[in-house]
Amino acid sequence: MFDDVHLSTILSTMFIFLLMIVVLNSILYKPLLKFMSQRDESIRSDEAKVKQDFEKVSSVIEELEKIKKSTREDIFQIKQKALENARAEAEVEFNKKRQELDKQMSDFYLNLAKDKENLERELRARIPEWKNALNTNLKNI
């Protein structure tokens, strides 16, 4: 059964097999393993960069929210100050106008009182004339 098999054939086959393993290892397997390890490293570094970028974006978003909140508070305070200033100015204007109108009203009452006194004086001064005219008219009737 093993009459065809020669030691030289077995040794040459083993040598060729080992040679093929060495050649394939150096030409194919080592570069392939190197490429795969580089690819894994690249994927890991990309994942790390993505995590860092995500953390940066998250911190930027948090910072933006803080800025928005502080801006809203600042706007609210500015509005409140503006409203208070406007109310104070309106109150001052209102008081000025009220004083002015009160003065005008008191001047009007003073003038009215003077006019009333003048009218009464004029009417009293004319009472004797009217009595004479009335008496003459009564006599004529």
Side-chain angles (χ1 to χ4, degrees):
M1 166 162 147
F2 291 108
D3 292 336
D4 301 359
V5 177
H6 295 285
L7 183 62
S8 65
T9 309
I10 292 175
L11 288 176
S12 67
T13 304
M14 284 177 63
F15 176 74
I16 291 174
F17 179 74
L18 289 176
L19 183 66
M20 283 300 290
I21 288 178
V22 169
V23 169
L24 284 176
N25 190 28
S26 65
I27 292 176
L28 182 66
Y29 295 128
K30 282 184 181 178
L32 184 62
L33 291 174
K34 182 180 176 186
F35 171 76
M36 288 173 62
S37 67
Q38 287 175 346
R39 184 171 173 250
D40 286 344
E41 185 61 34
S42 172
I43 289 172
R44 279 190 214 107
S45 70
D46 288 345
E47 285 177 347
K49 286 179 184 177
V50 166
K51 285 180 184 177
Q52 287 175 345
D53 291 344
F54 181 75
E55 290 172 0
K56 286 180 183 177
V57 167
S58 296
S59 66
V60 168
I61 288 173
E62 289 173 4
E63 188 174 333
L64 284 175
E65 288 301 320
K66 288 178 184 176
I67 291 171
K68 281 182 188 178
K69 185 178 179 182
S70 69
T71 303
R72 284 185 194 127
E73 290 172 358
D74 291 345
I75 289 171
F76 180 75
Q77 290 175 355
I78 290 170
K79 280 183 181 180
Q80 288 301 104
K81 286 181 183 178
L83 284 173
E84 289 172 6
N85 290 340
R87 284 183 184 139
E89 289 176 8
E91 188 71 28
V92 167
E93 283 294 318
F94 179 75
N95 288 334
K96 283 183 185 177
K97 210 48 140 162
R98 173 173 256 152
Q99 289 173 354
E100 185 180 318
L101 290 174
D102 286 344
K103 185 178 182 298
Q104 287 177 357
M105 186 65 106
S106 65
D107 290 346
F108 173 75
Y109 282 136
L110 285 174
N111 288 336
L112 187 63
K114 287 179 185 176
D115 288 346
K116 180 181 174 185
E117 288 174 14
N118 289 338
L119 185 60
E120 281 181 7
R121 245 185 280 126
E122 285 180 24
L123 289 175
R124 287 186 188 187
R126 290 189 181 185
I127 286 179
E129 288 177 27
W130 288 340
K131 277 187 181 179
N132 289 336
L134 185 63
N135 285 335
T136 0
N137 281 341
L138 287 176
K139 285 181 186 176
N140 288 340
I141 299 184

